Amino acid sequence: MRDSERPLDPSDEKRLKTRGIGSGRSYEPFIKVHEISSKGESFRILGRNSTRPHHLLSRLELSAFLVFDRYQPTTDIKEQYPLPIVDSLSICERLGIKHPQIAGKLKVVTTDLVVELKNKSGIAIAVKYADELDDLRVVEKLQIEKVFWEQQGYKWEIFTEQEITPSIKENLEWLHAANQNLDDLYSELSTLDIQLIFQRLKGINKRLSTTCAALDDEYLCEPGFHIGLFRKAVAANLIDAPLNTVFRQWSCSDLSLTKNFSLIIGGLLDVS
């Protein structure tokens, strides 16, 4: 029996009615974390651009997601995106490979992350551990994705654990957690307040964490106030920090105000 004559898996057919449609807050991934039996880790986290929960099926997917969620041109990220079955069948026939299926029923091919960019073509990303690329069937599925997304005018990339260092990975998780924690302690601080507090670091050549603890004492702030402020400011792209160095080792001299911050301050001054 030809693949095109085989039935679609009933559970996949049901999901296609409501999932993989829309964008932003309205998008619903084809696969959700509670629907898989995984030996590894899975994550459900709030996206900075979409402001909706994203379903990520491995820690490597989390790392890839955090890289692009922080990327300035990103406007939306769609995870577990389903390729139209008609297209994947056609591509398999052209490539001469067997369409993914289980027990004689066709399975929908999904792409781990589809990143939409401002004023640019999007990027489709397959997230795989490097040793998975030795598996012929994995490579064949990746070929299906590659052909499909290139037909759509998207750039297609493979993201492995070799694309990100342990320090960057830890920093991104630390910064993302700052975005999730909406602390009232910082909610009333303006960008001008952040600039003034940033000036307290000038001329200090010590570790940031040590300096922040001293500043908390000097200005009678709650313990952790200054380091929390800089953490949120870096997470919001208002302050630059060396992400290739783990945050615990940052020095005061490593931090600088970003161009994005300057533009905001300039806009505020223009309005006033």
Side-chain angles (χ1 to χ4, degrees):
M1 181 186 292
R2 296 175 57 188
D3 284 347
S4 58
E5 297 172 343
R6 296 183 183 277
L8 180 60
D9 181 271
S11 60
D12 281 10
E13 187 172 14
K14 182 180 179 180
R15 287 173 181 166
L16 284 174
K17 294 177 181 178
T18 58
R19 302 189 187 181
I21 303 168
S23 60
R25 291 179 64 89
S26 67
Y27 177 79
E28 193 173 354
F30 187 72
I31 304 171
K32 299 184 179 181
V33 295
H34 66 274
E35 296 170 334
I36 61 168
S37 55
S38 174
K39 295 180 181 178
E41 298 173 282
S42 58
F43 303 85
R44 188 173 179 271
I45 65 171
L46 194 66
R48 185 168 66 174
N49 293 284
S50 66
T51 65
R52 70 166 175 84
H54 290 259
H55 294 251
L56 307 166
L57 308 185
S58 70
R59 182 164 287 277
L60 186 58
E61 274 192 23
L62 172 65
S63 296
F65 175 84
L66 292 178
V67 167
F68 287 96
D69 194 48
R70 183 174 173 78
Y71 186 43
Q72 287 282 5
T74 298
T75 59
D76 192 16
I77 301 178
K78 302 173 185 178
E79 75 278 19
Q80 325 309 335
Y81 185 90
L83 276 57
I85 193 71
V86 172
D87 291 288
S88 57
L89 279 168
S90 174
I91 292 168
C92 284
E93 186 174 359
R94 275 190 289 144
L95 296 179
I97 61 178
K98 187 177 181 180
H99 192 283
Q101 53 192 267
I102 293 179
K105 294 182 174 60
L106 300 175
K107 296 295 294 181
V108 168
V109 177
T110 59
T111 293
D112 297 313
L113 300 174
V114 179
V115 182
E116 305 293 352
L117 303 175
K118 183 178 181 181
N119 300 325
K120 293 182 181 180
S121 298
I123 308 173
I125 302 165
V127 180
K128 297 294 177 189
Y129 288 96
D131 60 4
E132 293 183 86
L133 301 180
D134 295 329
D135 188 317
L136 177 60
R137 281 302 290 165
V138 169
V139 173
E140 288 180 340
K141 179 183 175 294
L142 294 176
Q143 287 180 305
I144 300 170
E145 292 185 57
K146 182 176 187 293
V147 172
F148 174 80
W149 287 110
E150 289 180 348
Q151 287 177 343
Q152 308 306 309
Y154 280 63
K155 189 176 181 180
W156 181 83
E157 298 286 353
I158 298 176
F159 187 101
T160 74
E161 70 273 21
Q162 297 170 358
E163 315 301 323
I164 187 168
T165 66
S167 294
I168 292 177
K169 177 182 172 182
E170 186 173 357
N171 284 337
L172 290 177
E173 291 184 13
W174 184 68
L175 293 171
H176 187 269
N179 281 330
Q180 309 295 290
N181 181 18
L182 302 178
D183 195 329
D184 291 339
L185 187 62
Y186 306 102
S187 60
E188 296 182 1
L189 289 171
S190 70
T191 48
L192 287 172
D193 292 327
I194 294 172
Q195 186 182 41
L196 290 172
I197 294 174
F198 180 80
Q199 300 306 312
R200 297 174 184 175
L201 300 183
K202 276 201 168 181
I204 299 176
N205 293 315
K206 293 182 179 179
R207 185 140 316 163
L208 178 66
S209 57
T210 302
T211 302
C212 285
L215 290 173
D216 289 343
D217 292 338
E218 181 179 350
Y219 290 92
L220 303 178
C221 298
E222 291 187 23
F225 172 82
H226 280 85
I227 192 65
L229 173 75
F230 290 117
R231 180 184 183 185
K232 286 181 175 291
V234 174
N237 288 318
L238 297 176
I239 290 178
D240 273 331
L243 295 185
N244 57 338
T245 301
V246 71
F247 64 87
R248 291 183 296 276
Q249 298 176 5
W250 290 350
S251 296
C252 297
S253 56
D254 290 331
L255 272 59
S256 61
L257 297 176
T258 65
K259 292 181 180 179
N260 185 44
F261 187 96
S262 301
L263 288 173
I264 293 173
I265 292 296
L268 289 172
L269 294 177
D270 289 341
V271 171
S272 62

